[in-house]
Amino acid sequence: NAGVTQTPKFRVLKTGQSMTLLCAQDMNHEYMYWYRQDPGMGLRLIHYSVGEGTTAKGEVPDGYNVSRLKKQNFLLGLESAAPSQTSVYFCASLEDSYSYEQYFGPGTRLTVT
Amino acid sequence: AQTVTQSQPEMSVQEAETVTLSCTYDTSESDYYLFWYKQPPSRQMILVIRQEAYKQQNATENRFSVNFQKAAKSFSLKISDSQLGDAAMYFCAYRSAQESGNTPLVFGKGTRLSVIA
């Protein structure tokens, strides 16, 4: 039982490049989330999913797209990376709306130069 | 929209002493959850303690306890007998408990706690 895993752990991109961050959970959780963490800003919600095939926008969705084609995976895409997207990205999952604890992945540090 | 405010960007405490981290929140909902998360240098987010708004009794987990004041919309974390391993960033977070399933967390900006030996 690996919990929530994120791939990759670190990445450096040039402005305008694209990439996909992968989040995987093996707990059969319904809900999944992508947050970004910036210094002095706490964690802010980018997008989330309430089940396979569904996605919804969070607080800071611009410049990102997501997909949840399989229940266990939640992908975060950057089509044209910008320096403002330099951040640490966290994925989290929640069993269902009656559960308390969101389980977080280890984070991905992304630098856009 | 709900907001969470942590007014202390940094705090320090002597080892074995007690420290209290402050958190206030704004919401029009009556049913919700509040959480404190710890983020050590490893970056991993660790749930420390949670509080259900409908419960009047303050939550306690070993050396960690909260002071939940629903009317004042205040949710402080008390760490007793502070240890070097408590040094970390601490985040206060809010989550709706409505059946609509509005489950994302709303985080404060964090308080960095240093423990002095």
Side-chain angles (χ1 to χ4, degrees):
Chain A
N1 190 336
V4 179
T5 58
Q6 293 182 229
T7 308
K9 289 185 169 52
F10 303 92
R11 184 72 186 269
V12 178
L13 285 179
K14 294 187 187 302
T15 298
Q17 287 184 321
S18 63
M19 77 163 295
T20 300
L21 281 65
L22 170 63
C23 176
Q25 52 95 4
D26 61 2
M27 298 172 284
N28 202 36
H29 285 182
E30 288 295 328
Y31 294 75
M32 297 186 75
Y33 312 85
W34 277 108
Y35 297 92
R36 61 177 286 174
Q37 182 180 14
D38 302 295
M41 295 297 293
L43 279 76
R44 293 179 293 169
L45 181 69
I46 305 171
H47 287 279
Y48 66 104
S49 169
V50 301
E52 182 178 317
T54 74
T55 62
K57 292 182 179 180
E59 179 186 355
V60 289
D62 293 343
Y64 305 96
N65 57 75
V66 288
S67 63
R68 183 112 181 258
L69 298 179
K70 293 183 179 181
K71 187 177 184 179
Q72 63 268 33
N73 296 337
F74 194 30
L75 279 63
L76 178 70
L78 287 73
E79 290 188 351
S80 179
S84 62
Q85 294 177 304
T86 293
S87 189
V88 178
Y89 292 85
F90 286 95
C91 176
S93 71
L94 180 73
E95 183 174 2
D96 53 44
S97 61
Y98 303 102
S99 302
Y100 299 119
E101 183 171 359
Q102 286 192 16
Y103 291 82
F104 283 82
T108 295
R109 180 176 292 279
L110 174 66
T111 302
V112 183
T113 61
Chain B
Q2 293 81 21
T3 59
V4 176
T5 302
Q6 294 179 249
S7 59
Q8 307 152 315
E10 296 182 351
M11 293 280 286
S12 63
V13 63
Q14 294 278 351
E15 198 175 4
E17 296 295 309
T18 296
V19 65
T20 299
L21 308 183
S22 301
C23 173
T24 58
Y25 58 94
D26 188 29
T27 183
S28 59
E29 298 176 333
S30 59
D31 198 10
Y32 48 86
Y33 307 115
L34 295 164
F35 305 86
W36 279 98
Y37 278 86
K38 172 184 178 181
Q39 186 182 45
S42 68
R43 213 166 60 195
Q44 183 67 45
M45 295 291 287
I46 302 166
L47 179 62
V48 175
I49 198 166
R50 74 164 190 267
Q51 175 79 43
E52 292 92 328
Y54 65 85
K55 290 186 177 178
Q56 292 187 339
Q57 186 173 5
N58 290 325
T60 300
E61 287 287 343
N62 300 315
R63 297 182 296 105
F64 298 87
S65 62
V66 298
N67 183 3
F68 173 49
Q69 301 290 327
K70 190 173 184 179
K73 297 180 182 176
S74 171
F75 182 60
S76 60
L77 175 69
K78 185 171 82 171
I79 307 174
S80 303
D81 185 25
S82 297
Q83 301 175 359
L84 295 177
D86 295 333
M89 182 72 85
Y90 287 82
F91 292 100
C92 180
Y94 170 102
R95 197 199 111 184
S96 172
Q98 293 182 356
E99 290 187 8
S100 63
N102 186 8
T103 58
L105 292 168
V106 178
F107 287 88
K109 294 183 178 181
T111 296
R112 184 172 300 281
L113 178 66
S114 301
V115 181
I116 304 165

